[in-house]
Amino acid sequence: MGSNVRTGRGSGLATFFTVTFITTWGCWLVAIALGRPPTTFPTVIPFLLGGFGPVFGAIAVRVRRRPVPAHAVPFRLNARLLWALPLLVLAAGTVAGGALLAQVLGGPALDLDAGLALMATAGGAVPFFVSMLVGGPLAEEPGWRGTAYPRLLAVMGRFRAGMVLGLVWAIWHLPLFFMTGTVQAGFGLVSWSGLLFTLMVFPMALLTGFAYELGGVPAAIAVHFGVNATAAVLNAYSPMTSVVVIAVQVLVAVVVIGLRRKPAVPVVDGVVARPVPAAGL
């Protein structure tokens, strides 16, 4: 099997990452150069297009007709979709539970006023939650989890795949720290809040990967949305709150992934081959 097994050569990962970063960083550099908040015209155009970089990367992989790994979860209207709701609750619970625990430990109290003000700025609860769904989960998960994650699973275990994808995901976010009006720019790249935002991506990558294996891209979207929306509503961004939330998410990720047994499947040319059922089974 040689080096193809170790590198995943021919799986489409190189195409995915190249197109994703070129699209996203190219658009976001234009938004940075415009020097206006991403919610204002015309900055909103390159800002939104850049957010869909992982989707463009996923499309590029499919256009090139790269092999589909065995761990890829097809989108079907079946029982897998039922995982989305409980996983959404679990994801929101890691943030809310972490924020409450941080408050008990002497951290800042939960602040719903800031969340309500944010909803009002967005035009109400519905536009707010729709924007939270589109600006992140829908724009990213078909790429990160629907395309990159199963291909990484072809050559490494769950934890390593999650960590590798988490590192790439963290680097992908970097331009946002230099874009006027973003949450990341408010944190500052060289700050505790900026560091903790970056670290939070890693348990998120583990949780969304776990969700993808259970319920496909819709489940990964649900987890991503649950974390982002809950953090925004509760204004759970203080350094102490972030530390506790990260700890809670790491614990949950280790438990749920550790309890899920990885199927044994053969690897062919760096891509996990779909197992052929034995006769009579």
Side-chain angles (χ1 to χ4, degrees):
M1 289 183 238
S3 61
N4 283 357
V5 174
R6 295 192 297 272
T7 63
R9 187 181 304 166
S11 67
L13 277 173
T15 297
F16 170 75
F17 289 133
T18 300
V19 173
T20 295
F21 273 83
I22 288 177
T23 304
T24 296
W25 282 20
C27 289
W28 284 354
L29 286 175
V30 171
I32 292 170
L34 291 172
R36 296 174 59 84
T39 55
T40 61
F41 184 84
T43 309
V44 65
I45 297 176
F47 172 71
L48 289 177
L49 284 175
F52 278 86
V55 170
F56 293 127
I59 292 172
V61 171
R62 281 153 182 76
V63 167
R64 297 194 66 184
R65 299 181 181 277
R66 293 304 185 185
V68 178
H71 293 306
V73 180
F75 177 79
R76 293 172 182 166
L77 295 176
N78 57 20
R80 282 187 179 275
L81 286 177
L82 298 178
W83 281 107
L85 182 57
L87 288 170
L88 171 64
V89 173
L90 174 66
T94 63
V95 178
L100 284 170
L101 180 57
Q103 179 177 329
V104 171
L105 295 174
L110 296 182
D111 183 9
L112 289 175
D113 291 338
L116 293 174
L118 194 59
M119 288 186 197
T121 302
V126 173
F128 169 76
F129 285 115
V130 169
S131 66
M132 293 297 297
L133 179 62
V134 174
L138 279 177
E140 299 177 32
E141 291 308 322
W144 297 131
R145 253 54 64 176
T147 302
Y149 182 69
R151 285 165 172 80
L152 288 171
L153 280 183
V155 292
M156 61 186 70
R158 285 191 180 98
F159 282 103
R160 188 179 169 197
M163 290 295 97
V164 169
L165 196 52
L167 177 61
V168 175
W169 201 11
I171 295 171
W172 179 82
H173 279 94
L174 286 179
L176 295 177
F177 285 94
F178 304 95
M179 191 182 302
T180 302
T182 62
V183 173
Q184 291 83 359
F187 291 156
L189 180 59
V190 185
S191 68
W192 281 113
S193 294
L195 173 63
L196 291 168
F197 171 84
T198 301
L199 291 178
M200 192 174 289
V201 170
F202 289 89
M204 273 279 287
L206 292 174
L207 289 172
T208 48
F210 168 76
Y212 172 79
E213 290 190 55
L214 287 180
V217 171
I221 289 173
V223 169
H224 194 157
F225 172 74
V227 171
N228 285 5
T230 306
V233 170
L234 298 180
N235 193 32
Y237 298 125
S238 76
M240 182 171 182
T241 301
S242 296
V243 167
V244 178
V245 169
I246 289 173
V248 169
Q249 290 183 336
V250 168
L251 177 61
V252 171
V254 169
V255 170
V256 296
I257 294 176
L259 291 176
R260 182 169 172 78
R261 185 168 63 90
K262 189 171 183 177
V265 290
V267 177
V268 178
D269 288 338
V271 178
V272 180
R274 295 186 180 279
V276 179
L281 295 181

